[in-house]
Amino acid sequence: MADLIPIAEADQQAIETLLDSVFGTDRHQRTAYRLRDGVAAIPELSFAAVEDGQLVGSIQCWPVELAADSGARIPMILVGPIAVSPLRQDVGIGRALTHRAIAVAQQSDIPGGDSLMLIGDPDYYGRFFGFGAERTGQWRLPGPFESHRLLALGSDVPMQPGHVGPRIGATVQRRLAGGPRGS
């Protein structure tokens, strides 16, 4: 089985190459990428899978928020992209990466840690992780998506209408300035 390491310890160009091979070079056009515009991935929730020194998978998690129609701004975490080398798929690497990110998020004090969301296969993410679309039906995204694929997990997932987008603010500015989280 692969070793899971913080994504910052992995070769960043290898991660980009892996993402291109799994999702295509046009992946930046997708709605999920629009949800991350202008923010950095959350380092504590982003991991790489390495076997014999070679990158075989990665997961990144991003700060997003629901700008509710009521005026509330509710922090959430976007899970993904989750990528596994085509040569190592179907051996549990993606599940291990996803389980690790979920566990760390739910045990952390990171804003949105118990309001996880993703765009993905409802059968897969429901069966292995408990994600569902029951609370996401009134959410709007900055691009096209299939509503049954907009999934959430956690006890604090909002069930109200609003627009999901990047959570731009102090957390990202601290990371960009190199300061510690929570400072």
Side-chain angles (χ1 to χ4, degrees):
M1 182 47 126
D3 293 319
L4 304 186
I5 63 171
I7 203 163
E9 296 176 16
D11 178 331
Q12 298 304 301
Q13 185 55 52
I15 292 168
E16 290 301 311
T17 300
L18 173 65
L19 291 169
D20 284 347
S21 73
V22 172
F23 298 110
T25 57
D26 64 342
R27 62 189 161 91
H28 296 279
Q29 309 296 321
R30 295 179 179 196
T31 298
Y33 276 81
R34 294 180 191 175
L35 292 172
R36 325 179 181 134
D37 279 347
V39 297
I42 303 169
E44 301 91 335
L45 304 180
S46 299
F47 301 95
V50 179
E51 289 179 336
D52 299 322
Q54 297 296 310
L55 178 74
V56 294
S58 69
I59 187 170
Q60 296 173 18
C61 295
W62 305 81
V64 297
E65 69 182 3
L66 177 71
D69 292 351
S70 67
R73 293 182 117 30
I74 303 160
M76 299 188 300
I77 294 173
L78 173 65
V79 178
I82 304 158
V84 176
S85 167
L87 301 174
R88 297 297 294 140
Q89 291 181 357
D90 298 322
V91 297
I93 294 170
R95 285 190 300 276
L97 286 162
T98 306
H99 278 298
R100 171 74 59 87
I102 290 170
V104 173
Q106 291 178 336
Q107 295 170 5
S108 75
D109 62 357
I110 297 170
D114 204 23
S115 295
L116 307 176
M117 62 155 301
L118 58 78
I119 302 171
D121 179 357
D123 293 332
Y124 177 82
Y125 289 103
R127 179 177 61 185
F128 289 109
F129 310 106
F131 279 87
E134 299 81 17
R135 302 183 68 90
T136 64
Q138 298 181 72
W139 296 359
R140 299 180 304 277
L141 302 183
F145 68 98
E146 297 173 78
S147 60
H148 73 282
R149 294 175 56 84
L150 182 57
L151 308 174
L153 173 70
S155 60
D156 291 338
V157 173
M159 189 171 151
Q160 55 187 296
H163 182 82
V164 179
R167 186 177 356 131
I168 298 175
T171 301
V172 174
Q173 291 169 353
R174 280 195 298 275
R175 269 196 216 106
L176 293 177
R181 284 190 59 80
S183 64

